Amino acid sequence: MAEKKYDVVIIGAGPGGMTTALYASRANLKVVMLDRGSFGGNLNNTASIVNYSGFKDIQGPELAEKMYQGATQFGAEYAYGTVTKIEADGQQKKVTTDMGDTFIAPVVVIATGSDHRKLGVPGEEEFSGRGVSYCAVCDGAFFKGKHLVVVGGGDSAVEEGIYLTQFASKVTVVVRRDVLRAQPMLQDEAEKNEKMEFVFNTNVTEILGDDVKVTGVKTHNNKTGEDGKISAAGAFIYVGTVPMTAPFKGLGVLDDQGWVKTDNEMKTSIPGIFAIGDVRETPLRQIATAVGDGAIAGQEVYQYIKGLN
Ligand code: NAP
C-alpha cells in the first residue's frame, strides 16, 4: 500500500492512454499509467491491424509494444492495478486501486476503453472458457479443424471470423439482421473466403453443450419464425461493446449508456478530469481515434496544469 503523487494519472494503458502519456511526459509532467492488465488494452486481442496509418499490416501485441516504448521514453511510468474509485475533491484527485494503492494528482485521464458485450442467452456463462469465447486471438488455435460459430455482424465479428478460418474447418457467422454492419472491405474479404458462411435474420437463443464443452447453438430465424440448431465446437461472441466505467458512476460524467461525456478538448464536466478513446461518447472507435484523443488530451492537460500555477 502506497500513496504516490503525480501530475497526471492515466487510467488505462491502451493506445489512447499511452499517447497521452507520451505527450504529457514529453512536456515534463510526472505521469503514471494504471492498468488492470498488460499495456496495450484491446490491441492484445487483435491479430492483424491494416487500418492504422504507418503500418501495412501489424499484429496488435507488436503495435502495443511499439506504443509502450514510445509512451515511456520521456519518463512516464506504468503501474498495475484495477481502479476502484476516483475522488475529486477540489483541485486534487485521488485514485484508488484494488491493491490498496492511492495516486494523487491534479489531473486524471479516463482511458479505460470498452469490454465485450455479453449475448445474454442460456449456456453462455456456463460454457464460458469451455467453447464460448470473446477473443479469437486468445482461443482460436484450440479449434483446429473444427466448425465454429461467430455471433454478430460488426467489424469485430467479421474480422475475427476471418482470423478464425486459419484454424477452423468452417466459420458460420450468425447475424440478427439481413445486413452486416462491418466495413465493406471486411465484407469483401469475408465473401471471398471459402471457409466463411453467413446466416442472416437469425438470433442465437442458447449455447448448447455436453458435460464438458460446447456442442452447438440453438437458433431462431426472426423472419420465418423457424427454430434450428447449428453444431459447432465453439461460439465466438462479438455483439458489440460496453464502456468500462463502473468506478466512475458517482462522478456524474457519464451519458445514459455509461460512456463518458467530453468536449472537443477531452474535458469532462469536472475540471482536471479528462476522458479519451473508446470509453468516450464518440462516433468512431478505432486505434487512430484513440491516439488522436490521446494527443489532444496530452496537450490539454499540460495547459490545464500550467493554468493552476
Ligand atoms: P458493433 O459495431 O457495435 O457491432 C455489433 C454487432 O453485433 C452488430 O452486428 C449488432 O447487430 C450485433 N448485435 C448486437 N447485439 C446483439 C445480440 N443481442 N444478438 C445478436 N447480434 C447482436 O461492435 P464491434 O463489431 O465489436 O465493434 C465495436 C467498435 O470497434 C466499432 O466502432 C467498430 O468499428 C470498431 N472496430 C473496428 C475494427 C477495425 O477497424 N478493423 C475492428 C473491430 C472493431 P445490429 O447491426 O443489428 O445492431
Side-chain angles (χ1 to χ4, degrees):
M1 290 213 216
E3 183 175 288
K4 292 187 176 171
K5 288 199 169 169
Y6 288 88
D7 295 316
V8 184
V9 175
I10 300 167
I11 308 174
M18 290 197 281
T19 305
T20 301
L22 166 63
Y23 276 66
S25 58
R26 190 162 177 249
N28 274 338
L29 298 175
K30 190 169 157 53
V31 179
V32 64
M33 297 175 274
L34 307 178
D35 205 292
R36 63 176 185 164
S38 168
F39 58 83
N42 284 335
L43 288 180
N44 294 313
N45 307 331
T46 308
S48 160
I49 296 159
V50 296
N51 61 351
Y52 184 59
S53 186
F55 299 94
K56 193 171 167 220
D57 186 353
I58 186 165
Q59 303 236 319
E62 191 189 343
L63 182 57
E65 177 64 34
K66 286 184 190 296
M67 285 186 171
Y68 184 74
Q69 296 304 332
T72 52
Q73 66 182 309
F74 301 112
E77 298 167 30
Y78 160 84
Y80 174 75
T82 299
V83 169
T84 51
K85 199 165 49 170
I86 305 183
E87 289 157 276
D89 191 8
Q91 203 167 295
Q92 291 303 320
K93 280 90 196 165
K94 184 171 160 186
V95 176
T96 307
T97 73
D98 60 346
M99 318 278 284
D101 296 324
T102 54
F103 298 82
I104 310 286
V107 166
V108 171
V109 180
I110 300 173
T112 43
S114 58
D115 206 353
H116 51 256
R117 178 186 285 138
K118 296 266 167 65
L119 186 57
V121 298
E124 181 179 21
E125 221 173 294
E126 188 186 341
F127 291 107
S128 183
R130 297 194 288 141
V132 170
S133 173
Y134 305 87
C135 178
V137 175
C138 321
D139 300 327
F142 295 123
F143 297 95
K144 286 202 175 98
K146 308 277 189 207
H147 181 195
L148 294 174
V149 160
V150 169
V151 190
D155 286 338
S156 299
V158 177
E159 192 167 72
E160 303 307 320
I162 294 168
Y163 174 79
L164 287 169
T165 58
Q166 68 186 293
F167 309 107
S169 57
K170 187 162 101 176
V171 173
T172 302
V173 184
V174 182
V175 187
R176 69 176 173 184
R177 284 193 293 150
D178 57 352
V179 287
L180 294 170
R181 190 193 278 256
Q183 304 162 31
M185 189 208 86
L186 285 172
Q187 297 194 30
D188 289 349
E189 199 182 332
E191 270 162 29
K192 285 186 204 133
N193 189 319
E194 286 177 358
K195 285 190 181 176
M196 294 277 278
E197 170 191 79
F198 288 90
V199 176
F200 288 98
N201 300 311
T202 299
N203 295 74
V204 166
T205 52
E206 187 176 343
I207 311 288
L208 303 168
D210 56 20
D211 289 347
V212 185
K213 57 184 186 342
V214 167
T215 55
V217 297
K218 260 192 195 170
T219 59
H220 176 76
N221 186 309
N222 53 47
K223 279 268 154 65
T224 63
E226 223 172 289
D227 291 325
K229 189 185 145 187
I230 303 172
S231 296
F236 284 76
I237 318 273
Y238 289 107
V239 293
T241 54
V242 288
M244 294 211 268
T245 45
F248 319 125
K249 279 194 176 133
L251 293 174
V253 297
L254 308 184
D255 70 10
D256 44 7
Q257 293 181 342
W259 306 99
V260 186
K261 291 187 283 186
T262 71
D263 64 11
N264 289 340
E265 294 169 340
M266 309 301 138
K267 293 172 178 161
T268 70
S269 55
I270 302 178
I273 299 188
F274 297 72
I276 58 171
D278 283 10
V279 77
R280 210 163 68 81
E281 192 182 59
T282 174
L284 189 61
R285 295 190 169 90
Q286 303 268 297
I287 301 162
T289 51
V291 165
D293 285 3
I296 293 170
Q299 167 69 9
E300 293 303 324
V301 301
Y302 172 72
Q303 296 296 345
Y304 176 81
I305 289 175
K306 209 166 78 168
L308 297 176
N309 298 322

